[in-house]
Amino acid sequence: LALAVLSTRIRNYVITCMMTTFQSLLPAYLDAHSWLLQTPGLWALGDWPELTGRSLAQGFLVQYALSDELFPEEGMRQAHQILESLHGRESYTGSFWPGDHVFTAAMQSEAINYLSTTLRAAGSAPDHLSSPTHRHLATEDLDDSATRSHGTR
């Protein structure tokens, strides 16, 4: 999201397991987050979902994990409602997934398919984005990363 707001070159993007309202993080969830969600002055620019309106991207996908220990479900659902009202279905897609704060193989496939489809429609997706080899490598690389971070596959 931050890169999409800062760069006009971002045409479409995916946010995975990192969308909620600021208020839903208080007081119980804020301590679990890095400086990114606690940047001084950030909240003055708008709530986290409202920051998406500062991007010139054509569209984005948000993947929510319903049992995410870092974000309360209520805040995710509030963010989803805000995003639908700000952007509509033509530029915002939200998907809710079972599970914890993890980027599963199925979520990776959804993200790759979303970017491949939307960037190709915009005339900017390289053909290799949707190739079986790229999908395999991307999934394998991310699965290995998830294994290192979470200890399970």
Side-chain angles (χ1 to χ4, degrees), residues 49-50 52-53 60 64 77-94:
E50 293 168 343
T52 61
F60 62 104
Y64 304 90
R77 294 199 181 275
Q78 289 170 348
H80 177 67
Q81 289 176 340
I82 292 168
L83 291 168
E84 282 187 323
S85 68
L86 285 174
H87 301 284
R89 296 182 190 269
E90 56 279 350
S91 61
Y92 165 67
T93 302

Side-chain angles (χ1 to χ4, degrees), residues 109 112-113 128-140:
S109 290
I112 290 167
N113 289 336
H128 72 277
L129 257 184
S130 60
S131 74
T133 302
H134 183 269
R135 276 197 298 267
H136 173 73
L137 291 175
T139 302
E140 186 177 88

Side-chain angles (χ1 to χ4, degrees), residues 11-15 58-63 90-93 108-120:
R11 294 190 184 129
N12 291 282
Y13 60 99
V14 176
I15 297 171
Q58 296 168 353
F60 62 104
L61 164 66
V62 177
Q63 297 174 314
E90 56 279 350
S91 61
Y92 165 67
T93 302
Q108 292 169 39
S109 290
E110 180 186 44
I112 290 167
N113 289 336
Y114 173 81
L115 291 171
S116 178
T117 301
T118 57
L119 292 175
R120 185 168 292 111

Side-chain angles (χ1 to χ4, degrees), residues 17-152:
C17 297
M18 195 175 165
M19 181 56 72
T20 191
T21 60
F22 285 135
Q23 194 61 42
S24 71
L25 296 174
L26 300 172
Y29 291 87
L30 194 58
D31 289 353
H33 294 282
S34 71
W35 60 270
L36 182 62
L37 290 177
Q38 302 176 46
T39 303
L42 184 61
W43 293 15
L45 298 175
D47 202 344
W48 198 250
E50 293 168 343
L51 295 177
T52 61
R54 295 178 175 270
S55 168
L56 297 177
Q58 296 168 353
F60 62 104
L61 164 66
V62 177
Q63 297 174 314
Y64 304 90
L66 289 171
S67 298
D68 192 329
E69 63 277 6
L70 300 179
F71 297 96
E73 182 178 342
E74 178 185 339
M76 290 185 262
R77 294 199 181 275
Q78 289 170 348
H80 177 67
Q81 289 176 340
I82 292 168
L83 291 168
E84 282 187 323
S85 68
L86 285 174
H87 301 284
R89 296 182 190 269
E90 56 279 350
S91 61
Y92 165 67
T93 302
S95 64
F96 290 83
W97 291 83
D100 299 330
H101 190 78
V102 64
F103 191 32
T104 65
M107 293 168 83
Q108 292 169 39
S109 290
E110 180 186 44
I112 290 167
N113 289 336
Y114 173 81
L115 291 171
S116 178
T117 301
T118 57
L119 292 175
R120 185 168 292 111
S124 61
D127 288 333
H128 72 277
L129 257 184
S130 60
S131 74
T133 302
H134 183 269
R135 276 197 298 267
H136 173 73
L137 291 175
T139 302
E140 186 177 88
D141 292 345
L142 291 169
D143 281 348
D144 289 344
S145 173
T147 301
R148 286 191 297 274
S149 300
H150 300 287
T152 59

